[in-house]
Amino acid sequence: MALIDAPVLTIAYSTLYHRAANIRLPAPRQGIEVLVLVQGAPTDAPPLHRRSDLKELHLDGTGVARSRNAAIDHAHGRYLLFADDDIDFLPEGIAALCAALDADLDLTLVTGQTCGPDGALRKRYSLRAQALGRLNSAKTATYEMMLRLAPIRASGLRFDEAFGAGMPNFIGDEYIFVTDLLDRGLKARFVPVTVAMHPADSSGLRWSGPAPMRARKALFRRVFGPIWPIPAALFVLRNWRRVERVADLRHLFL
């Protein structure tokens, strides 16, 4: 399939050079562009993927947020879906997110849900569609997000490159992006459709040790400013069963 001039959707994979060949790419489909954003490639390394519907870009620097921003810059689609290199997308879920954006022209971001290899949902999700705000979007994963690119670019919205995988503050880039989007007066919505399958492991689920707690502290300070201890405490109480060592909480609050 030749890359059409104006694809409806761009699927943008963020990966490292030593993992890029393992991406499980979707089959070529009319109206879909695939963008592979690779970090850590040797100088003058050849592309690892060659398909007429696919573009591979080798990026300088580190951090997944930098790759997400490159996707916003280089995507040709009307909509943009983010992907990691260990994601398997479900076509019917992608179609449902596109339909949600088609149905509401004021909607800038729509999110879905993800299952594990066994088909079970990876987190607790709402059973019904709902508008997203600061209090119900913290668990959103980037690979569950589909954007309408025009208002994103018009608003100058970017991922905060101090956060996300590959950085000391290795969580929270997607939550910061959603809250920054809402601060710009843009509209976001969750719909209860399964978009992708993802392995059970996730850095955002880690609660043991100083590094995850310090990263969460930086996240709460970034999103909530001076009142950050209040939502941080509420978040800990809501996730108390996942706290493995109470002593680790000193890295969050002290």
Side-chain angles (χ1 to χ4, degrees):
M1 182 193 76
L3 177 62
I4 60 177
D5 291 337
V8 174
L9 173 67
T10 297
I11 302 177
Y13 288 84
S14 300
T15 188
L16 301 173
Y17 188 76
H18 70 276
R19 295 170 57 108
N22 299 324
I23 295 175
R24 296 182 290 272
L25 295 170
R29 296 186 65 179
Q30 184 67 24
I32 296 180
E33 169 195 44
V34 177
L35 189 59
V36 179
L37 303 152
V38 182
Q39 292 181 351
T43 303
D44 299 326
L48 297 172
H49 303 90
R50 299 182 184 275
R51 265 175 33 179
S52 58
D53 65 325
L54 182 150
K55 182 177 183 181
E56 182 176 313
L57 296 176
H58 293 179
L59 306 178
D60 295 328
T62 59
V64 69
R66 179 166 295 193
S67 291
R68 310 299 192 200
N69 286 334
I72 292 173
D73 292 337
H74 293 280
H76 293 96
R78 182 162 72 247
Y79 306 145
L80 173 61
L81 178 65
F82 296 108
D84 291 337
D85 53 28
D86 53 358
I87 284 289
D88 287 303
F89 280 116
L90 306 178
E92 60 273 20
I94 292 177
L97 295 190
C98 287
L101 289 170
D102 288 342
D104 185 349
L105 298 182
D106 293 328
L107 190 61
T108 298
L109 167 67
V110 63
T111 72
Q113 58 197 21
T114 308
C115 67
D118 60 356
L121 294 179
R122 298 183 70 248
K123 294 171 279 190
R124 288 182 298 176
Y125 297 92
S126 172
L127 298 178
R128 60 185 65 185
Q130 59 180 7
L132 287 178
R134 287 177 181 269
L135 300 182
N136 66 350
S137 58
K139 62 185 177 183
T140 301
T142 322
Y143 45 80
E144 296 169 345
M145 297 166 50
M146 185 180 290
L147 309 178
R148 189 188 308 275
L149 271 175
I152 294 294
R153 288 170 171 163
S155 70
L157 182 60
R158 311 283 288 178
F159 282 83
D160 188 331
E161 295 185 8
F163 291 82
M167 305 303 292
N169 297 322
F170 55 86
I171 58 174
D173 50 308
E174 53 274 272
Y175 182 40
I176 291 170
F177 184 85
V178 174
T179 57
D180 285 351
L181 180 148
L182 297 172
D183 286 345
R184 284 166 167 77
L186 301 175
K187 182 179 176 182
R189 190 167 183 81
F190 165 80
V191 292
V193 297
T194 303
V195 179
M197 189 277 288
H198 188 276
D201 256 355
S202 173
S203 60
L205 300 179
R206 289 169 52 194
W207 281 80
S208 178
M213 292 302 180
R214 289 170 181 159
R216 284 189 170 85
K217 180 177 181 177
L219 168 62
F220 281 110
R221 294 179 70 173
R222 169 66 169 77
V223 172
F224 293 99
I227 67 167
W228 73 267
I230 298 172
L234 294 174
F235 187 77
V236 169
L237 289 174
R238 186 172 183 179
N239 294 276
W240 184 252
R241 293 183 179 181
R242 290 162 54 190
V243 177
E244 298 177 28
R245 295 193 298 265
V246 175
D248 287 337
L249 293 176
R250 70 183 187 276
H251 300 290
L252 176 61
F253 290 106
L254 300 181

